[in-house]
Amino acid sequence: MMKTPRASFSRTILALAISVSIFGCEFTSAPAANVLRVVPTSDLESIDPIFSTAVVSRDYAYMIYDTLFGMDSSGRISPQMVQTYDVSSDKKTWTFTLRDGLEFHDGKPVTTEDVIASLIRWSKKDVMGLRLFSFVERIESVNTKTFRMKLSAPYGLVLDSLGKPSSYVPFIMPKRIAVMPVDQQITDPTGSGPFVLKQDERKPGEKVVFVRNLKYKPRAEPASGTAGGKVVKVDRVEWLIIRDAQTQANALAAGQIDMIESLPFEMYPIFKKDPNIQLIETNPLGNSFMLRFNHLQPPFNNVKVRQAAMAAMNQLAFLQTQVGIPALYRTCFSIYPCGTSYANDKGMDFIAKPDMNHARQLLRESGYDGAPVVLLQQTDQATLNRLPAVAKQLLEQAGFKVQMQPMNFQTLFSRRARKDGWNIYVSFLSVSSINPVSNMYLAASGYPTAQVGWPSDPLLEKLRDDFALAQTDADRKTLAEKIQARAMEIGVYVPLGEYVVKVAARKNITGFVTGFFTVYWNVEKR
């Protein structure tokens, strides 16, 4: 029976009026077809992706910014904002030309002045940017669409640096924003990417809203990883901050949200059986857990103490406790992701063959005085919250005294930035660990340029320089092995195994892009 216009209008008004509120977040039912409602990995605390390494800041930045190059799901670097590029015969001069139609959200065209300012700001914070710019003699604008980079020596990772997919990413901002000092957070989210942040609708701790950038011109190639055409197929993406795992699950099962970006491990068996839910692996490479030492403070300023702690660690104990589902974890005795080109087992005996007796012996030889070590525990990250308890138990078995201090993720983020007041924390590494230059935790330049923990080792830094300058894959693989052996010898950090996080989504959500984390272009809500 055909509905009258009046009846249709009444139903529309009724639909607009219906909403469900969960912990302060509103789930309005209309127009649901064009709105993607997602529980992200965490709340968005910082909108400056060069200030924060938080993955949610990186994910937000991929929504609103674009990059010169991207990395596809196979690890290949492809042009993104760049149309063409050329390298001189001596491999010391690189020339890049931007593609047509690049425009910031405020309507102003993207120019090479914006690009240069953005790269300079990024290079002051990112380990890969620091390394690249240590070989840059000058970077200059040829015209509004073409810029040139002149190097002091042939550098093998120019494109890898400009196309790196994880923290810190060389996102392109307007020059007026990019000239901000790198130690000050930017507050203006103007980018040129496929989405626009709705600042007026953002509610910290509750909701972050993005709308489709109608002026964005995607590339013609299929989307893959952070490369290819970023075609937006929804009008809005709403990130809804729901901290409780059971509340997330209830909202997804009821259709009040469309996706949980990082499904808590304990929810995996439940949704695997739900006919209305699909479990998507957007990151087949997975992530790796790791334990990081504070190299500046006793007792872990002593290499033998670090080695004692390493000998006590047991990957399987961490993985079984935190993940618990064999299909979602794997041991990996390499600092590079297992299955990738640089993965190897050099220097990994401490990790691959845990030995508590050896750990106790090393601790006795180290002169450890029994002072408690402070272990930071983040309690609000479902993928990490059980790991510190495992570390505490194993360290105590080896003879350490451990003081575990629980806190939320943002507090831990602030605490670990201080030189003192902590000794260990547990975190994870993503695609950035794919090579020894992009892996920020391998930087051993000391305080303040190395990543928090601040190891200092001139030999490791020299090896990383050699890797960056190497011109052949064979040379890079040899150097990657040497770097791993040295990193384990001095105890930069402890790899704790790999895991995979699934995206849980309603079955009417399609078009997920395979890569290294969840992105929202190409995603469609039927």
Side-chain angles (χ1 to χ4, degrees), residues 11 17 43 68 88 109 124 134 137 145 147 241 258 263 275 326 341 359 392 398 405 419 438 475-476 499 502 504 523:
R11 290 176 187 274
D43 191 15
L68 298 176
S88 62
K124 293 177 180 178
S134 69
E137 289 186 337
K145 289 186 60 179
F147 70 100
I241 313 305
D258 301 303
L263 183 67
S341 57
K392 181 177 187 292
Q405 298 184 1
K419 290 193 292 183
S438 64
D475 287 342
R476 290 194 189 101
Y499 66 100
K502 302 276 189 176
V523 176

PDB file of all heavy atoms in Angstrom, residues 11 17 43 68 88 109 124 134 137 145 147 241 258 263 275 326 341 359 392 398 405 419 438 475-476 499 502 504 523:
ATOM      1  N   ARG A  11       6.396   9.848   9.781  1.00  0.00           N
ATOM      2  CA  ARG A  11       7.397   8.838  10.131  1.00  0.00           C
ATOM      3  C   ARG A  11       8.788   9.468  10.208  1.00  0.00           C
ATOM      4  O   ARG A  11       9.604   9.108  11.051  1.00  0.00           O
ATOM      5  CB  ARG A  11       7.387   7.704   9.104  1.00  0.00           C
ATOM      6  CG  ARG A  11       6.141   6.832   9.183  1.00  0.00           C
ATOM      7  CD  ARG A  11       6.145   5.784   8.077  1.00  0.00           C
ATOM      8  NE  ARG A  11       4.895   5.055   8.045  1.00  0.00           N
ATOM      9  CZ  ARG A  11       4.646   3.975   8.787  1.00  0.00           C
ATOM     10  NH1 ARG A  11       5.557   3.537   9.629  1.00  0.00           N
ATOM     11  NH2 ARG A  11       3.484   3.364   8.697  1.00  0.00           N
ATOM     12  N   ALA A  17      13.141  12.091  16.077  1.00  0.00           N
ATOM     13  CA  ALA A  17      12.970  12.320  17.504  1.00  0.00           C
ATOM     14  C   ALA A  17      13.549  11.196  18.359  1.00  0.00           C
ATOM     15  O   ALA A  17      13.784  11.376  19.550  1.00  0.00           O
ATOM     16  CB  ALA A  17      11.486  12.482  17.823  1.00  0.00           C
ATOM     17  N   ASP A  43      39.777   8.326  23.636  1.00  0.00           N
ATOM     18  CA  ASP A  43      39.351   9.704  23.420  1.00  0.00           C
ATOM     19  C   ASP A  43      40.467  10.488  22.738  1.00  0.00           C
ATOM     20  O   ASP A  43      41.651  10.180  22.894  1.00  0.00           O
ATOM     21  CB  ASP A  43      39.006  10.357  24.758  1.00  0.00           C
ATOM     22  CG  ASP A  43      38.302  11.701  24.594  1.00  0.00           C
ATOM     23  OD1 ASP A  43      37.832  11.993  23.484  1.00  0.00           O
ATOM     24  OD2 ASP A  43      38.233  12.447  25.588  1.00  0.00           O
ATOM     25  N   LEU A  68      52.258  13.685   1.392  1.00  0.00           N
ATOM     26  CA  LEU A  68      52.894  13.709   0.070  1.00  0.00           C
ATOM     27  C   LEU A  68      52.905  12.343  -0.575  1.00  0.00           C
ATOM     28  O   LEU A  68      52.692  12.194  -1.783  1.00  0.00           O
ATOM     29  CB  LEU A  68      54.324  14.238   0.196  1.00  0.00           C
ATOM     30  CG  LEU A  68      54.475  15.670   0.703  1.00  0.00           C
ATOM     31  CD1 LEU A  68      55.953  16.023   0.861  1.00  0.00           C
ATOM     32  CD2 LEU A  68      53.793  16.655  -0.236  1.00  0.00           C
ATOM     33  N   SER A  88      68.073  13.267  -9.133  1.00  0.00           N
ATOM     34  CA  SER A  88      69.234  13.478  -9.995  1.00  0.00           C
ATOM     35  C   SER A  88      70.087  12.220 -10.072  1.00  0.00           C
ATOM     36  O   SER A  88      69.956  11.303  -9.260  1.00  0.00           O
ATOM     37  CB  SER A  88      70.076  14.641  -9.469  1.00  0.00           C
ATOM     38  OG  SER A  88      70.562  14.355  -8.167  1.00  0.00           O
ATOM     39  N   PRO A 109      44.605  27.401  -1.599  1.00  0.00           N
ATOM     40  CA  PRO A 109      45.321  26.306  -2.261  1.00  0.00           C
ATOM     41  C   PRO A 109      46.517  25.846  -1.433  1.00  0.00           C
ATOM     42  O   PRO A 109      47.128  26.634  -0.698  1.00  0.00           O
ATOM     43  CB  PRO A 109      45.768  26.927  -3.584  1.00  0.00           C
ATOM     44  CG  PRO A 109      45.851  28.394  -3.298  1.00  0.00           C
ATOM     45  CD  PRO A 109      44.754  28.686  -2.317  1.00  0.00           C
ATOM     46  N   LYS A 124      61.568  18.046  13.202  1.00  0.00           N
ATOM     47  CA  LYS A 124      62.128  18.377  14.506  1.00  0.00           C
ATOM     48  C   LYS A 124      61.679  17.410  15.597  1.00  0.00           C
ATOM     49  O   LYS A 124      62.220  17.431  16.696  1.00  0.00           O
ATOM     50  CB  LYS A 124      61.731  19.807  14.890  1.00  0.00           C
ATOM     51  CG  LYS A 124      62.366  20.869  14.002  1.00  0.00           C
ATOM     52  CD  LYS A 124      61.881  22.265  14.373  1.00  0.00           C
ATOM     53  CE  LYS A 124      62.521  23.317  13.476  1.00  0.00           C
ATOM     54  NZ  LYS A 124      62.020  24.680  13.786  1.00  0.00           N
ATOM     55  N   SER A 134      68.983  15.488   8.694  1.00  0.00           N
ATOM     56  CA  SER A 134      70.408  15.606   9.006  1.00  0.00           C
ATOM     57  C   SER A 134      71.247  15.541   7.725  1.00  0.00           C
ATOM     58  O   SER A 134      72.421  15.929   7.727  1.00  0.00           O
ATOM     59  CB  SER A 134      70.840  14.497   9.971  1.00  0.00           C
ATOM     60  OG  SER A 134      70.822  13.220   9.337  1.00  0.00           O
ATOM     61  N   GLU A 137      70.691  19.563   2.919  1.00  0.00           N
ATOM     62  CA  GLU A 137      71.435  20.830   2.906  1.00  0.00           C
ATOM     63  C   GLU A 137      70.484  22.010   2.770  1.00  0.00           C
ATOM     64  O   GLU A 137      70.657  23.034   3.427  1.00  0.00           O
ATOM     65  CB  GLU A 137      72.447  20.837   1.755  1.00  0.00           C
ATOM     66  CG  GLU A 137      73.613  19.892   1.982  1.00  0.00           C
ATOM     67  CD  GLU A 137      74.677  20.016   0.913  1.00  0.00           C
ATOM     68  OE1 GLU A 137      74.359  20.481  -0.211  1.00  0.00           O
ATOM     69  OE2 GLU A 137      75.822  19.637   1.183  1.00  0.00           O
ATOM     70  N   LYS A 145      53.914  24.997  -6.961  1.00  0.00           N
ATOM     71  CA  LYS A 145      53.606  23.560  -7.038  1.00  0.00           C
ATOM     72  C   LYS A 145      54.835  22.655  -7.014  1.00  0.00           C
ATOM     73  O   LYS A 145      54.682  21.432  -6.893  1.00  0.00           O
ATOM     74  CB  LYS A 145      52.796  23.277  -8.312  1.00  0.00           C
ATOM     75  CG  LYS A 145      51.371  23.809  -8.282  1.00  0.00           C
ATOM     76  CD  LYS A 145      50.591  23.368  -9.505  1.00  0.00           C
ATOM     77  CE  LYS A 145      50.500  21.857  -9.610  1.00  0.00           C
ATOM     78  NZ  LYS A 145      49.716  21.420 -10.777  1.00  0.00           N
ATOM     79  N   PHE A 147      58.788  21.822  -5.406  1.00  0.00           N
ATOM     80  CA  PHE A 147      59.838  22.131  -4.448  1.00  0.00           C
ATOM     81  C   PHE A 147      60.996  21.155  -4.634  1.00  0.00           C
ATOM     82  O   PHE A 147      60.841  20.074  -5.219  1.00  0.00           O
ATOM     83  CB  PHE A 147      59.320  22.115  -3.007  1.00  0.00           C
ATOM     84  CG  PHE A 147      58.958  20.753  -2.468  1.00  0.00           C
ATOM     85  CD1 PHE A 147      59.826  20.051  -1.645  1.00  0.00           C
ATOM     86  CD2 PHE A 147      57.723  20.179  -2.760  1.00  0.00           C
ATOM     87  CE1 PHE A 147      59.482  18.807  -1.126  1.00  0.00           C
ATOM     88  CE2 PHE A 147      57.369  18.929  -2.251  1.00  0.00           C
ATOM     89  CZ  PHE A 147      58.255  18.241  -1.425  1.00  0.00           C
ATOM     90  N   ILE A 241      32.770   8.199  22.518  1.00  0.00           N
ATOM     91  CA  ILE A 241      33.689   7.714  23.546  1.00  0.00           C
ATOM     92  C   ILE A 241      32.900   6.926  24.586  1.00  0.00           C
ATOM     93  O   ILE A 241      32.199   7.498  25.427  1.00  0.00           O
ATOM     94  CB  ILE A 241      34.445   8.881  24.210  1.00  0.00           C
ATOM     95  CG1 ILE A 241      34.996   9.838  23.142  1.00  0.00           C
ATOM     96  CG2 ILE A 241      35.553   8.343  25.108  1.00  0.00           C
ATOM     97  CD1 ILE A 241      35.868   9.181  22.079  1.00  0.00           C
ATOM     98  N   ASP A 258      27.786   1.588  14.904  1.00  0.00           N
ATOM     99  CA  ASP A 258      28.072   0.765  13.726  1.00  0.00           C
ATOM    100  C   ASP A 258      29.353  -0.048  13.861  1.00  0.00           C
ATOM    101  O   ASP A 258      29.496  -1.106  13.239  1.00  0.00           O
ATOM    102  CB  ASP A 258      28.204   1.658  12.487  1.00  0.00           C
ATOM    103  CG  ASP A 258      26.947   2.456  12.229  1.00  0.00           C
ATOM    104  OD1 ASP A 258      25.880   1.833  12.077  1.00  0.00           O
ATOM    105  OD2 ASP A 258      27.030   3.697  12.176  1.00  0.00           O
ATOM    106  N   LEU A 263      38.185  -4.008  19.109  1.00  0.00           N
ATOM    107  CA  LEU A 263      37.327  -4.880  19.911  1.00  0.00           C
ATOM    108  C   LEU A 263      38.108  -5.458  21.085  1.00  0.00           C
ATOM    109  O   LEU A 263      39.160  -6.078  20.893  1.00  0.00           O
ATOM    110  CB  LEU A 263      36.783  -6.016  19.049  1.00  0.00           C
ATOM    111  CG  LEU A 263      35.804  -6.978  19.743  1.00  0.00           C
ATOM    112  CD1 LEU A 263      34.507  -6.254  20.075  1.00  0.00           C
ATOM    113  CD2 LEU A 263      35.524  -8.193  18.861  1.00  0.00           C
ATOM    114  N   PRO A 275      25.334 -13.325  14.183  1.00  0.00           N
ATOM    115  CA  PRO A 275      25.125 -13.285  12.725  1.00  0.00           C
ATOM    116  C   PRO A 275      25.011 -11.867  12.168  1.00  0.00           C
ATOM    117  O   PRO A 275      25.111 -11.680  10.951  1.00  0.00           O
ATOM    118  CB  PRO A 275      23.812 -14.056  12.538  1.00  0.00           C
ATOM    119  CG  PRO A 275      23.093 -13.911  13.847  1.00  0.00           C
ATOM    120  CD  PRO A 275      24.165 -13.884  14.896  1.00  0.00           C
ATOM    121  N   PRO A 326      44.373 -17.822  21.110  1.00  0.00           N
ATOM    122  CA  PRO A 326      45.525 -18.151  20.256  1.00  0.00           C
ATOM    123  C   PRO A 326      45.423 -17.611  18.837  1.00  0.00           C
ATOM    124  O   PRO A 326      46.445 -17.265  18.236  1.00  0.00           O
ATOM    125  CB  PRO A 326      45.548 -19.681  20.283  1.00  0.00           C
ATOM    126  CG  PRO A 326      44.949 -20.039  21.600  1.00  0.00           C
ATOM    127  CD  PRO A 326      43.874 -19.007  21.831  1.00  0.00           C
ATOM    128  N   SER A 341      60.381  -8.110   5.764  1.00  0.00           N
ATOM    129  CA  SER A 341      61.675  -8.346   5.123  1.00  0.00           C
ATOM    130  C   SER A 341      62.867  -8.296   6.069  1.00  0.00           C
ATOM    131  O   SER A 341      63.882  -8.940   5.804  1.00  0.00           O
ATOM    132  CB  SER A 341      61.885  -7.347   3.978  1.00  0.00           C
ATOM    133  OG  SER A 341      61.794  -6.021   4.456  1.00  0.00           O
ATOM    134  N   ALA A 359      68.417 -14.807  34.998  1.00  0.00           N
ATOM    135  CA  ALA A 359      67.980 -13.459  35.364  1.00  0.00           C
ATOM    136  C   ALA A 359      68.429 -13.117  36.779  1.00  0.00           C
ATOM    137  O   ALA A 359      68.940 -12.016  37.043  1.00  0.00           O
ATOM    138  CB  ALA A 359      66.467 -13.352  35.243  1.00  0.00           C
ATOM    139  N   LYS A 392      55.263  -7.338  36.495  1.00  0.00           N
ATOM    140  CA  LYS A 392      55.546  -7.249  37.937  1.00  0.00           C
ATOM    141  C   LYS A 392      55.859  -8.624  38.515  1.00  0.00           C
ATOM    142  O   LYS A 392      56.847  -8.808  39.244  1.00  0.00           O
ATOM    143  CB  LYS A 392      54.349  -6.630  38.662  1.00  0.00           C
ATOM    144  CG  LYS A 392      54.517  -6.465  40.170  1.00  0.00           C
ATOM    145  CD  LYS A 392      53.284  -5.779  40.769  1.00  0.00           C
ATOM    146  CE  LYS A 392      53.487  -5.444  42.242  1.00  0.00           C
ATOM    147  NZ  LYS A 392      53.561  -6.653  43.087  1.00  0.00           N
ATOM    148  N   ALA A 398      62.478 -12.661  39.623  1.00  0.00           N
ATOM    149  CA  ALA A 398      63.904 -12.516  39.337  1.00  0.00           C
ATOM    150  C   ALA A 398      64.655 -11.811  40.459  1.00  0.00           C
ATOM    151  O   ALA A 398      65.891 -11.785  40.454  1.00  0.00           O
ATOM    152  CB  ALA A 398      64.087 -11.730  38.036  1.00  0.00           C
ATOM    153  N   GLN A 405      52.040   1.336  39.694  1.00  0.00           N
ATOM    154  CA  GLN A 405      51.192   2.503  39.910  1.00  0.00           C
ATOM    155  C   GLN A 405      50.128   2.592  38.822  1.00  0.00           C
ATOM    156  O   GLN A 405      50.437   2.887  37.656  1.00  0.00           O
ATOM    157  CB  GLN A 405      52.043   3.774  39.929  1.00  0.00           C
ATOM    158  CG  GLN A 405      53.068   3.815  41.052  1.00  0.00           C
ATOM    159  CD  GLN A 405      53.836   5.116  41.105  1.00  0.00           C
ATOM    160  OE1 GLN A 405      53.615   6.036  40.306  1.00  0.00           O
ATOM    161  NE2 GLN A 405      54.760   5.212  42.054  1.00  0.00           N
ATOM    162  N   LYS A 419      61.671  12.824  33.062  1.00  0.00           N
ATOM    163  CA  LYS A 419      62.911  12.056  33.168  1.00  0.00           C
ATOM    164  C   LYS A 419      62.936  11.170  34.406  1.00  0.00           C
ATOM    165  O   LYS A 419      63.606  10.134  34.411  1.00  0.00           O
ATOM    166  CB  LYS A 419      64.120  12.995  33.196  1.00  0.00           C
ATOM    167  CG  LYS A 419      64.412  13.699  31.892  1.00  0.00           C
ATOM    168  CD  LYS A 419      65.787  14.345  31.913  1.00  0.00           C
ATOM    169  CE  LYS A 419      65.851  15.508  32.880  1.00  0.00           C
ATOM    170  NZ  LYS A 419      67.177  16.181  32.836  1.00  0.00           N
ATOM    171  N   SER A 438      62.531   3.974  11.046  1.00  0.00           N
ATOM    172  CA  SER A 438      61.176   4.423  11.387  1.00  0.00           C
ATOM    173  C   SER A 438      60.781   4.043  12.808  1.00  0.00           C
ATOM    174  O   SER A 438      59.902   4.678  13.400  1.00  0.00           O
ATOM    175  CB  SER A 438      60.155   3.858  10.392  1.00  0.00           C
ATOM    176  OG  SER A 438      60.101   2.455  10.458  1.00  0.00           O
ATOM    177  N   ASP A 475      72.438  -4.947   1.666  1.00  0.00           N
ATOM    178  CA  ASP A 475      73.151  -4.194   2.697  1.00  0.00           C
ATOM    179  C   ASP A 475      72.208  -3.818   3.838  1.00  0.00           C
ATOM    180  O   ASP A 475      72.583  -3.881   5.018  1.00  0.00           O
ATOM    181  CB  ASP A 475      73.764  -2.927   2.098  1.00  0.00           C
ATOM    182  CG  ASP A 475      74.972  -3.224   1.214  1.00  0.00           C
ATOM    183  OD1 ASP A 475      75.532  -4.338   1.336  1.00  0.00           O
ATOM    184  OD2 ASP A 475      75.352  -2.349   0.410  1.00  0.00           O
ATOM    185  N   ARG A 476      70.992  -3.442   3.510  1.00  0.00           N
ATOM    186  CA  ARG A 476      70.036  -3.067   4.546  1.00  0.00           C
ATOM    187  C   ARG A 476      69.694  -4.256   5.444  1.00  0.00           C
ATOM    188  O   ARG A 476      69.580  -4.108   6.666  1.00  0.00           O
ATOM    189  CB  ARG A 476      68.759  -2.493   3.914  1.00  0.00           C
ATOM    190  CG  ARG A 476      68.937  -1.126   3.268  1.00  0.00           C
ATOM    191  CD  ARG A 476      67.594  -0.472   2.980  1.00  0.00           C
ATOM    192  NE  ARG A 476      67.760   0.727   2.172  1.00  0.00           N
ATOM    193  CZ  ARG A 476      67.547   0.797   0.878  1.00  0.00           C
ATOM    194  NH1 ARG A 476      67.130  -0.268   0.218  1.00  0.00           N
ATOM    195  NH2 ARG A 476      67.731   1.923   0.211  1.00  0.00           N
ATOM    196  N   TYR A 499      50.201  -9.275  18.309  1.00  0.00           N
ATOM    197  CA  TYR A 499      48.778  -9.536  18.455  1.00  0.00           C
ATOM    198  C   TYR A 499      48.016  -8.831  17.337  1.00  0.00           C
ATOM    199  O   TYR A 499      48.527  -7.899  16.707  1.00  0.00           O
ATOM    200  CB  TYR A 499      48.276  -9.046  19.818  1.00  0.00           C
ATOM    201  CG  TYR A 499      48.338  -7.549  19.993  1.00  0.00           C
ATOM    202  CD1 TYR A 499      47.197  -6.762  19.835  1.00  0.00           C
ATOM    203  CD2 TYR A 499      49.532  -6.913  20.313  1.00  0.00           C
ATOM    204  CE1 TYR A 499      47.253  -5.385  19.987  1.00  0.00           C
ATOM    205  CE2 TYR A 499      49.597  -5.540  20.468  1.00  0.00           C
ATOM    206  CZ  TYR A 499      48.459  -4.780  20.307  1.00  0.00           C
ATOM    207  OH  TYR A 499      48.516  -3.417  20.449  1.00  0.00           O
ATOM    208  N   LYS A 502      40.795  -6.958  16.112  1.00  0.00           N
ATOM    209  CA  LYS A 502      39.731  -6.978  15.102  1.00  0.00           C
ATOM    210  C   LYS A 502      38.832  -5.755  15.239  1.00  0.00           C
ATOM    211  O   LYS A 502      38.586  -5.255  16.338  1.00  0.00           O
ATOM    212  CB  LYS A 502      38.872  -8.226  15.273  1.00  0.00           C
ATOM    213  CG  LYS A 502      39.641  -9.547  15.175  1.00  0.00           C
ATOM    214  CD  LYS A 502      39.810  -9.995  13.761  1.00  0.00           C
ATOM    215  CE  LYS A 502      40.371 -11.427  13.710  1.00  0.00           C
ATOM    216  NZ  LYS A 502      40.465 -11.937  12.347  1.00  0.00           N
ATOM    217  N   ALA A 504      35.075  -4.717  15.019  1.00  0.00           N
ATOM    218  CA  ALA A 504      33.736  -5.318  15.051  1.00  0.00           C
ATOM    219  C   ALA A 504      32.760  -4.328  14.428  1.00  0.00           C
ATOM    220  O   ALA A 504      32.695  -3.170  14.845  1.00  0.00           O
ATOM    221  CB  ALA A 504      33.329  -5.642  16.477  1.00  0.00           C
ATOM    222  N   VAL A 523      34.815   3.488   3.208  1.00  0.00           N
ATOM    223  CA  VAL A 523      33.857   2.752   4.031  1.00  0.00           C
ATOM    224  C   VAL A 523      32.443   3.232   3.696  1.00  0.00           C
ATOM    225  O   VAL A 523      32.185   4.429   3.587  1.00  0.00           O
ATOM    226  CB  VAL A 523      34.155   2.945   5.529  1.00  0.00           C
ATOM    227  CG1 VAL A 523      33.094   2.250   6.383  1.00  0.00           C
ATOM    228  CG2 VAL A 523      35.540   2.393   5.859  1.00  0.00           C
TER     229      VAL A 523
END
